[in-house]
Amino acid sequence: MDGVDAALIETDGCSIFNPGAHLTMPYDSTFRDELQSLVNGDYRKSNLIEEQLTLKHADAVNKLLNDLSFSPDQIDLIGFHGHTIMHKPEEKFTWQIGDGQLLAKTTGIDVINDFRSTDVKAGGQGAPLVPIFHHLLTKDMELPIIILNIGGVANITWVDEDIDNLIGFDTGPGNALIDDWVSSHGNFTYDADGKIALSGNVNKSKLKQLMSHPFFDFPAPKSLDRDAFRSFVNEALEGETLQNGAALLTAFTVSAIIKGIENLPKPSGTCIVVGGGRHNNAIMSQLDNKLSKKVLSGDLVGWTGDAIEAQAFGFLGVRSKKGLPISFPGTTGVPFPMSGGKYYPVWHEKE
């Protein structure tokens, strides 16, 4: 809920020719609060919030192009994820807000969005969708390899030489629970550098209680709603200080990641971390201490860690336009590789 990431990428949907510039445009506190209320179940202003969110994405696109002296005519497609409000794949339901038609009209660029619905309707988890992008990013690396993305939810991709062996799944919470805790118990939007967690102590019995959640017994592929652990976590956090609560949630995030990695089919020597969580020193140091493999930030292997997700959805937009698969049995549990997304062309502007 921190803002919009936009990235320029040159791709044919099968190869990555040039991951280009990127930017982040933070949300103002008023809009962030409105978005939070929608995620929390107040749907009265959902149409207005969706419009505002779409226009903020248009602003991000326009700023990125202006910074690069690009015109909309030079861009073929926008891959537009939007924002997940509710995700219940077990009920064949997922809801991402974001008006593809409005974004196309506002930017003058064709748009593909709604990447997850086709997968979910076919019985898949609808997430994660980035593993095929990770597969291409690692094509010149020693395999197998693990890509760990720590966003609001954490997910991993396990890559070896054969695309048919691609595995991806959500491991558990990422930054979301920590962010929500420190914002509701202090004047913070997130735990910068993990400093709050590092100043606290972990209640190990409560950590064991959190790791008893039934999600961790489900086989992969599996995915999570951002707030899937909400009531379970609130009970465990009862009476904790700001620092100790942050420490507990950080340990919970790391423990869930480690449990997910332990269930992979064969060991990998390296785990590359992307997403906002790689900036959290508490998370990174715990991973480094507890995993029997090399833990590296994506930036150290030449990737732009803050741009990976934005790049991935640009890439997925191209695959969608070409009818290429974006989800796979090993990543979302669909019965066969399938494409997805809805296409919103800008008819007259492109002619």
Side-chain angles (χ1 to χ4, degrees), residues 31-321:
F31 180 74
R32 191 182 299 119
D33 289 345
E34 290 179 343
L35 189 57
Q36 180 72 64
S37 70
L38 178 55
V39 171
N40 288 346
D42 182 355
Y43 306 134
R44 291 173 296 176
K45 297 167 65 177
S46 62
N47 290 339
L48 176 60
I49 294 169
E50 179 173 53
E51 179 182 358
Q52 291 174 336
L53 178 128
T54 304
L55 294 176
K56 289 178 185 296
H57 279 71
D59 289 343
V61 169
N62 292 332
K63 185 175 190 321
L64 182 60
L65 296 186
N66 287 337
D67 289 349
L68 299 171
S69 298
F70 270 69
S71 70
D73 301 358
Q74 294 172 275
I75 306 299
D76 296 293
L77 194 66
I78 297 171
F80 176 32
H81 176 268
H83 191 97
T84 300
I85 302 303
M86 190 183 300
H87 184 66
K88 295 185 175 181
E90 69 282 359
E91 299 176 15
K92 295 191 174 183
F93 179 79
T94 189
W95 178 22
Q96 287 79 42
I97 60 168
D99 187 333
Q101 189 169 17
L102 176 61
L103 186 62
K105 179 180 179 181
T106 306
T107 60
I109 302 169
D110 294 354
V111 170
I112 288 186
N113 74 340
D114 193 13
F115 288 91
R116 303 187 188 275
S117 293
T118 300
D119 181 280
V120 169
K121 287 174 183 174
Q125 290 289 307
L129 295 180
V130 292
I132 181 60
F133 185 68
H134 290 159
H135 177 79
L136 287 179
L137 284 178
T138 57
K139 66 184 180 64
D140 295 324
M141 296 181 178
E142 184 176 343
L143 302 176
I145 203 165
I146 296 166
I147 314 300
L148 167 62
N149 174 60
I150 309 177
V153 168
N155 56 70
I156 56 177
T157 302
W158 185 84
V159 184
D160 75 356
E161 293 84 355
D162 189 346
I163 193 172
D164 292 333
N165 295 334
L166 193 63
I167 295 173
F169 57 93
D170 289 348
T171 60
N175 304 309
L177 295 177
I178 303 168
D179 291 351
D180 291 350
W181 172 258
V182 299
S183 65
S184 61
H185 290 76
N187 189 26
F188 310 94
T189 55
Y190 68 103
D191 184 5
D193 300 321
K195 289 179 180 177
I196 300 173
L198 289 169
S199 65
N201 296 303
V202 178
N203 184 318
K204 292 184 178 178
S205 65
K206 287 188 174 182
L207 177 59
K208 185 176 181 181
Q209 175 188 336
L210 290 173
M211 289 302 298
S212 71
H213 192 283
F215 173 80
F216 301 112
D217 295 325
F218 295 157
K222 54 186 176 179
S223 67
L224 283 167
D225 183 85
R226 182 187 188 279
D227 292 328
F229 295 98
R230 177 72 55 199
S231 58
F232 194 70
V233 164
N234 285 345
E235 182 180 340
L237 288 169
E238 188 72 33
E240 293 289 338
T241 65
L242 168 67
Q243 293 80 6
N244 289 351
L248 175 61
L249 291 174
T250 299
F252 181 32
T253 291
V254 172
S255 298
I257 290 168
I258 291 170
K259 187 173 181 63
I261 289 175
E262 287 173 345
N263 291 329
L264 291 170
K266 60 182 178 179
S268 160
T270 305
C271 175
I272 302 175
V273 187
V274 298
R278 78 189 194 288
H279 297 302
N280 185 312
N281 292 332
I283 291 176
M284 293 296 284
S285 62
Q286 287 184 38
L287 287 172
D288 195 41
N289 290 335
K290 296 180 179 181
L291 283 177
S292 58
K293 54 187 87 275
K294 187 185 296 183
V295 178
L296 297 173
S297 168
D299 305 271
L300 295 178
V301 297
W303 302 348
T304 307
D306 290 326
I308 293 291
E309 292 270 313
Q311 291 170 352
F313 278 94
F315 167 79
L316 291 171
V318 175
R319 288 186 68 86
S320 173
K321 179 78 184 304

